[in-house]
Amino acid sequence: MRVLKFGGSSLADIACLSRVQSLILNYGSEKAVVVLSAPGGMTDSLVELVQIAARGDDYAAQWDALESRCVALKREVESQYGEVFGWPKLDLLKQQLQGVQLLKQCPASVNAFAISFGERVSVSLMVTMLKAHGARALDATSCIKTHAQYLDAEVDLDKTREAVSQQVASEDSGIYIMAGFTGSNAAGELTTLGRNGSDYSAAVMAASLNADICQIWTDVDGVYSADPRLIKKATKVDRLSYKEAMELAYFGAKVLHPKTILPCAKANVPCEIKNTHDPDVPGSLISSDGTGDAPVKALSSLDNLAMLTVSGPGMKGKVGMAARVFGALANDNVSIVLITQSSCEFSISFCVYEQDLTLALNALEAAFTLETQAGLIEPVEVRKKLAIVTLVGDNMKSHKGLAAKFFASLAQAQVNVVAIAQDSTESAISAVVSGELCKDAMKVCHENFFTHVPSIDLFLLGCGLVGKELIKQLEKQQDWLAKRNIKLNLYGVSNSKQCFLSKEGVDFEQWQSQLAQSEAGFDLNKLEHFVKVNHLINPVIVDCSSSEQLADQYANFLNAGFHVVAANKKANTGDMAYYHQLKNAAQGSGRKFLYETNVGAGLPVLDNLQLLFGAGDELLSFNGILSGSLSYMFGAIEDGLSLSEATAKAKQNGFTEPDPRDDLSGTDVARKLLIIAREAGLDLELNDIQVEPVVSEEFAQGSSVDEFMARLPELDATFSDRVQSAASEGKKLRYVGSIQDGKCKVGIEAVDASHALFDIRDGENALAILSQYYQPKPFVIRGYGAGAEVTAAGVFADILKTLSR
C-alpha cells in the first residue's frame, strides 16, 4: 500500500493533471490512496473571495475568474474522458458567498466549506481521468476525524484509524482518490487542517493504513539544505530522520507541513519527497534510519515573529509563574514558537507570530493585572520583526564546535543574536535575529556549513591606472578563484564624477561604457542601501584613488559594515586621532582595514612588520627605498641620464604620478615612512618627518605640469654635480626613508657598497629592518614596487584577506 499526495503546482492545468495520472498508474498500480490538493492557486482565490464577501464588497470579477477556470478544467477533462464524476456544485458555493456578503461576516463552518472547494474539484477531475483503471473517490470527511474546530483542526489519529479501516478494506486493490486538507468533527461537519494541510492528510492516511511509504509529490526534488528561493546554492538532502524533518518543518521549511512527519514517525512509515515534474530524480527519504554521517543536514528560517519578555521581581523563585504565562496564552490559542529563560529566573522570553501579538499581550495583561499593579511584574517588553534561524542535524551532538561556528557565522554576517535556544537532544540550535537580516544570516551560515564557497562583494573607487589594472586581474583570475571555491563579484565602479552599480555584477569588458552612462557620483548611503537590498554579506570597498575626501570616510565605511582595502595612503597618514579612529572602527565593526600597498605596492611589507611586532619584536632602526618611481629615476641617472631626462622617462613609462612633483617632493615617501613608524608603535604626525625633496618646494610651485617639465633641465647641472661627488667616493645616490631613535627623515643619501640599499634601482623597493630579533644584520624585504601591475596585485591580495577563513 502506498499513499501518494500531489500538491497544487502538480495539478494546475490539464497538462499537469495528465502527468499526475501517469505517475499514479506508475507508482500506485497495485493499491494506493491518492491525496490531492486544490489546483495551484485556487485556494488563494477562494480565500480572497471569502474575505471580499465578508467585507460586503463586490466579488463578481473574482467569482467570474474562478468559475471560468473550473469550467475550463471540467471541459478539457470531459473532452478526453467523458462526463466528469462527482463534480462539486459551484451554485452551492455561490449561495454561501452571497450569504456571507449579506451578513458581512463568515461563520467558520462556511469558511471551511468554501476554502476546501478546490480539493473537491481535483478529486472529481482525477477520478474521471482514472475511472477506466477502477479508481474510486474516497470521502475525506468519512476518513479523517478531527476535533471540534472548523479551521486548522487537529486530527484524532485513533478515530481516524478506525474510520479508515471501515472505508478501505485491507484486501482491496485499486486506487482511491481523496481530497486533502479536509476532515470532519464528531458532529460530521466538514473541518480543515490548516493551509497546506494536504500533506498532513496524506501522513495521517499512511499511518492509519500502515502504508509501505507515503510519497509527497511537489514541484521540487526534495528537502534542501536551505530554502532554494533564498539560497540559490542550496543542495538536496537525500536522507533525513523523522526528528530532523520535524525540526525543519517546524522552523519554516516550506516543502513540509509542520504536522506531516509525526503520524509517519509514530507508525514508522517512510516519507519520500519527490518532484512531479522530474519523477526520475531521487527524492528525499525521511525515515527512522535517516541520519547518515553529516553533522548538519539543513538550515531553516521562520520570519514574521515577535518576542515578548515577561520579567520582574515577582518571577524569581515563584513556583508556577511559567505555567501561568503559558497557560494564559494557551487559553487564547496563541502558538508559542520558541522559549528562553534567564538563569536567574527573573524573566521568560518567548516568540509568537506577529499576527498573534495583540492576542498574546491581552492574555498576559489579563493574567497578571494584580502583579503588574503591585510592581511585581514589569510591563511586557516586545520586540517585533524578528526571525529564527535554525541549524538542524541529529549528529550535531557528536561534533564539537558546531555551535561556535554557527554563532561565528552570524557575527560574520553582522547579525546580532536576540535569543538562543537548543533542544535537549542537541539536534537543533536556534537563534532569534532581526527579520531584515535573516537572509544575510542564512547565506553566511549556508556558505560556511554547506557550499564552502565564500563570497567577496566588491566595490571599486578610483578607475585610474591601478583601478583599471585591478579590473583586468579580477577578470583574469576568475578561473583561479573558482578552483579555490571563492566567488568574487564586482558590483560597482566609481570615479570622481560617476558611480555604476549592478546587482547582476559589473561586466569586466563593458564597465567603462557602463560607468560613462551613469550619472550620480559615489554616495555611501546609496551603497549601503544596495548592499541591504541585495543581501550582500561580505562587502568590500577598494579605494584605488588618491582622494582625501574618500580617505576621510573610511571610518564611516567600516562602521557601515564594509571591509576597506586602500591603495590610497591619505587615511593612514592623516592625523593620529583619525588613525586610532580607523583602528577602533575596524575592531568594533568586525571588518578589516587593509592597506598593504600603502608602503611597498605588491611587496609584503606591512604583513611582515605586523607579524614581527605581534610576536614581541621591537624596531631598532629602519632604512628603506620606498618609492619605485624614485628608484627608477635614480637608476636612470646612475646610467648617465640627467634629472630631467630620467623624470621624463619615468613619467612616460607610467612609474610616476600624473604630476611628477608628487614623487619629487618626497611627500609620498614620507607618508610611507609614517605608516611604518605608526605600525612600529610611534605616535607621529606627517609634519614630524624631516623631508628633503629632490626638487625644492619653491622651484616646484606655481606652474602646470608641462611648464614644470620644461623648466626642470635648469636643475640638471646641480644634480649632476651631486651625483659625481658621490661617485668619486665610490657611492651612489639613493632616496632613503629612515627611522632612528624614534625620529623619521626622508632624503637623498650617498651610500657605499656595504649598505643594504646600494644595489637597489630600476623601480625596486627595499626595506632594511634592524630589530631585537634581526641584528646585527637587518631583515631585508626587496622587490619591484613601481607600476600599476604590482600595485594592483597587492590590492588583489588584500581583497582575498577579507575572507573569514
Side-chain angles (χ1 to χ4, degrees):
M1 165 65 79
R2 288 173 175 260
V3 174
L4 290 75
K5 179 268 176 180
F6 293 92
S9 60
S10 303
L11 304 163
D13 52 36
I14 189 63
C16 292
L17 288 165
S18 298
R19 188 180 297 113
V20 168
Q21 176 195 36
S22 298
L23 290 172
I24 292 171
L25 294 176
N26 288 338
Y27 283 84
S29 55
E30 295 180 3
K31 185 175 182 181
V33 172
V34 178
V35 179
L36 301 180
S37 296
M42 187 172 288
T43 302
D44 288 335
S45 299
L46 291 162
V47 169
E48 183 185 16
L49 273 168
V50 171
Q51 290 174 343
I52 295 172
R55 295 197 301 266
D57 295 336
D58 181 18
Y59 55 82
Q62 288 79 4
W63 173 262
D64 289 343
L66 175 71
E67 185 178 38
S68 297
R69 185 181 181 193
C70 290
V71 170
L73 285 170
K74 181 173 182 284
R75 189 174 294 142
E76 287 180 292
V77 170
E78 284 180 334
S79 68
Q80 298 182 51
Y81 300 97
E83 183 179 357
V84 169
F85 172 80
W87 184 248
K89 296 179 181 179
L90 280 164
D91 287 344
L92 179 58
L93 175 61
K94 191 172 186 178
Q95 290 172 9
Q96 298 272 26
L97 291 170
Q98 288 171 342
V100 170
Q101 186 182 37
L102 288 171
L103 292 172
K104 293 187 178 182
Q105 61 177 330
C106 184
S109 58
V110 175
N111 196 348
F113 171 83
I115 63 176
S116 63
F117 190 84
E119 279 73 15
R120 295 189 288 279
V121 169
S122 293
V123 169
S124 176
L125 297 174
M126 191 54 62
V127 168
T128 303
M129 293 172 70
L130 290 169
K131 64 183 179 183
H133 301 277
R136 68 197 90 171
L138 185 63
D139 184 7
T141 60
S142 299
C143 293
I144 307 294
K145 298 302 177 181
T146 72
H147 298 297
Q149 63 190 80
Y150 297 103
L151 304 172
D152 202 10
E154 290 288 337
V155 172
D156 186 322
L157 198 54
D158 291 334
K159 290 183 179 179
T160 296
R161 187 176 288 111
E162 181 182 344
V164 168
S165 66
Q166 296 173 7
Q167 297 292 321
V168 183
S170 60
E171 66 274 8
D172 282 357
S173 62
I175 301 169
Y176 294 86
I177 312 294
M178 188 185 89
F181 181 49
T182 55
S184 64
N185 58 25
E189 300 170 302
L190 184 145
T191 59
T192 59
L193 308 183
R195 288 302 301 269
N196 303 311
S198 295
D199 287 1
Y200 188 25
S201 299
V204 167
M205 289 299 293
S208 299
L209 292 164
N210 291 314
D212 297 316
I213 194 167
C214 175
Q215 290 183 321
I216 308 294
W217 291 85
T218 181
D219 55 359
V220 294
D221 291 339
V223 179
Y224 279 76
S225 55
D227 188 339
R229 293 171 299 180
L230 296 178
I231 309 298
K232 294 180 181 178
K233 294 183 179 179
T235 56
K236 182 169 65 69
V237 181
D238 295 327
R239 299 180 69 88
L240 299 96
S241 69
Y242 292 122
K243 182 167 180 54
E244 287 170 334
M246 283 189 282
E247 292 282 3
L248 287 172
Y250 181 77
F251 283 110
K254 301 296 189 293
V255 73
L256 293 168
H257 188 279
K259 299 176 183 178
T260 302
I261 306 304
L262 187 58
C264 289
K266 284 184 175 180
N268 200 25
V269 175
C271 180
E272 187 177 23
I273 314 297
K274 289 185 69 68
N275 191 341
T276 307
H277 308 286
D278 202 354
D280 294 332
V281 173
S284 295
L285 184 65
I286 302 165
S287 67
S288 58
D289 181 27
T291 56
D293 297 325
V296 178
K297 287 292 182 67
L299 281 162
S300 63
S301 62
L302 201 58
D303 54 12
N304 297 320
L305 300 174
M307 173 169 276
L308 290 78
T309 299
V310 181
S311 61
M315 300 286 292
K316 185 173 179 60
K318 184 74 171 178
V319 176
M321 291 299 286
R324 288 182 60 191
V325 169
F326 300 125
L329 298 173
N331 290 338
D332 282 359
N333 294 314
V334 176
S335 177
I336 298 171
V337 181
L338 176 145
I339 303 169
T340 182
Q341 185 175 15
S342 66
S343 58
C344 66
E345 301 181 21
F346 185 80
S347 66
I348 297 175
S349 297
F350 51 90
C351 290
V352 301
Y353 293 101
E354 283 202 343
Q355 65 192 33
D356 294 333
L357 178 58
T358 301
L359 194 61
L361 287 172
N362 290 340
L364 292 172
E365 182 181 354
F368 293 98
T369 300
L370 295 177
E371 287 85 351
T372 302
Q373 291 174 351
L376 297 175
I377 298 294
E378 297 175 359
V380 177
E381 179 185 338
V382 177
R383 295 188 65 168
K384 300 180 182 179
K385 297 181 180 178
L386 298 177
I388 296 175
V389 176
T390 301
L391 202 63
V392 174
D394 282 348
N395 287 336
M396 288 201 298
K397 58 180 173 289
S398 60
H399 288 73
K400 296 179 180 179
L402 291 178
K405 186 176 179 180
F406 179 46
F407 294 117
S409 299
L410 296 177
Q412 181 187 340
Q414 304 282 289
V415 174
N416 289 326
V417 177
V418 178
I420 302 166
Q422 184 174 20
D423 79 336
S424 58
T425 64
E426 299 182 42
S427 61
I429 184 167
S430 300
V432 182
V433 301
S434 166
E436 64 179 7
L437 297 177
C438 178
K439 186 174 181 179
D440 294 352
M442 290 287 289
K443 285 181 69 175
V444 177
C445 290
H446 194 271
E447 182 179 282
N448 290 341
F449 282 97
F450 297 100
T451 61
H452 307 291
V453 181
S455 60
I456 302 174
D457 310 314
L458 211 61
F459 300 91
L460 174 61
L461 311 183
C463 303
L465 291 174
V466 175
K468 289 177 181 176
E469 176 60 32
L470 177 62
I471 291 176
K472 290 180 184 178
Q473 292 185 15
L474 293 176
E475 180 180 18
K476 179 182 177 182
Q477 294 296 90
Q478 286 299 307
D479 288 342
W480 182 89
L481 292 165
K483 289 176 182 177
R484 286 154 180 79
N485 287 332
I486 298 170
K487 180 65 175 174
L488 192 153
N489 291 302
L490 179 62
Y491 283 107
V493 289
S494 177
N495 57 25
S496 59
K497 297 179 181 179
Q498 295 157 304
C499 180
F500 174 70
L501 300 174
S502 171
K503 65 180 181 180
E504 306 300 329
V506 175
D507 190 316
F508 289 123
E509 295 182 356
Q510 302 296 324
W511 70 268
Q512 288 174 296
S513 60
Q514 291 173 329
L515 179 61
Q517 295 169 12
S518 303
E519 296 181 0
F522 172 77
D523 178 79
L524 178 58
N525 292 329
K526 181 179 178 182
L527 195 59
E528 280 188 89
H529 179 73
F530 180 89
V531 168
K532 182 177 180 180
V533 167
N534 292 287
H535 298 281
L536 305 183
I537 56 178
N538 193 36
V540 183
I541 291 178
V542 178
D543 183 10
C544 289
S545 75
S546 58
S547 167
E548 190 165 353
Q549 181 183 8
L550 288 176
D552 289 343
Q553 297 183 67
Y554 285 2
N556 294 335
F557 295 169
L558 291 163
N559 289 327
F562 292 87
H563 300 289
V564 176
V565 173
N568 184 346
K569 297 182 258 312
K570 300 291 175 63
N572 268 325
T573 56
D575 62 67
M576 198 67 193
Y578 186 55
Y579 178 81
H580 288 307
Q581 185 182 349
L582 288 174
K583 297 290 185 178
N584 292 336
Q587 186 176 11
S589 65
R591 295 307 195 186
K592 295 178 181 177
F593 176 38
L594 301 162
Y595 44 90
E596 183 63 72
T597 56
N598 277 194
V599 174
L603 294 178
V605 176
L606 297 177
D607 272 355
N608 278 293
L609 287 175
Q610 288 164 356
L611 287 171
L612 286 177
F613 300 146
D617 202 357
E618 293 182 14
L619 183 68
L620 299 179
S621 67
F622 169 86
N623 285 279
I625 291 177
L626 301 173
S627 169
S629 307
L630 294 178
S631 170
Y632 179 88
M633 284 189 273
F634 275 59
I637 291 169
E638 184 183 321
D639 292 338
L641 295 186
S642 65
L643 174 63
S644 61
E645 290 170 336
T647 304
K649 185 177 180 181
K651 184 176 186 297
Q652 181 181 353
N653 290 336
F655 286 135
T656 71
E657 296 293 332
D659 187 342
R661 286 173 290 188
D662 293 340
D663 299 290
L664 295 170
S665 69
T667 302
D668 182 63
V669 176
R671 288 185 182 277
K672 294 178 179 180
L673 189 64
L674 177 62
I675 293 169
I676 292 172
R678 286 178 170 177
E679 293 294 322
L682 299 177
D683 281 358
L684 297 175
E685 303 289 357
L686 188 58
N687 57 16
D688 292 327
I689 298 177
Q690 181 183 336
V691 179
E692 177 196 359
V694 178
V695 174
S696 69
E697 186 177 348
E698 293 78 14
F699 185 88
Q701 282 182 346
S703 58
S704 67
V705 174
D706 291 339
E707 290 172 343
F708 169 76
M709 293 298 293
R711 292 179 52 227
L712 192 56
E714 298 174 19
L715 303 179
D716 286 347
T718 302
F719 200 83
S720 179
D721 290 343
R722 192 166 181 178
V723 172
Q724 293 301 322
S725 175
S728 67
E729 299 176 5
K731 297 180 178 181
K732 298 177 182 179
L733 295 186
R734 297 290 181 258
Y735 198 81
V736 178
S738 63
I739 303 173
Q740 186 75 44
D741 299 327
K743 296 181 180 180
C744 301
K745 67 176 182 178
V746 299
I748 302 170
E749 291 187 20
V751 299
D752 60 25
S754 66
H755 199 285
L757 304 179
F758 183 78
D759 292 327
I760 307 303
R761 50 168 290 163
D762 299 331
E764 275 194 294
N765 281 357
L767 301 90
I769 303 162
L770 197 69
S771 70
Q772 293 287 356
Y773 295 168
Y774 288 90
Q775 58 171 319
K777 289 189 176 182
F779 172 43
V780 177
I781 301 172
R782 178 178 176 178
Y784 286 101
E789 189 172 348
V790 292
T791 305
V795 170
F796 191 101
D798 269 353
I799 290 169
L800 295 180
K801 294 172 194 171
T802 63
L803 294 175
S804 61
R805 69 185 185 188

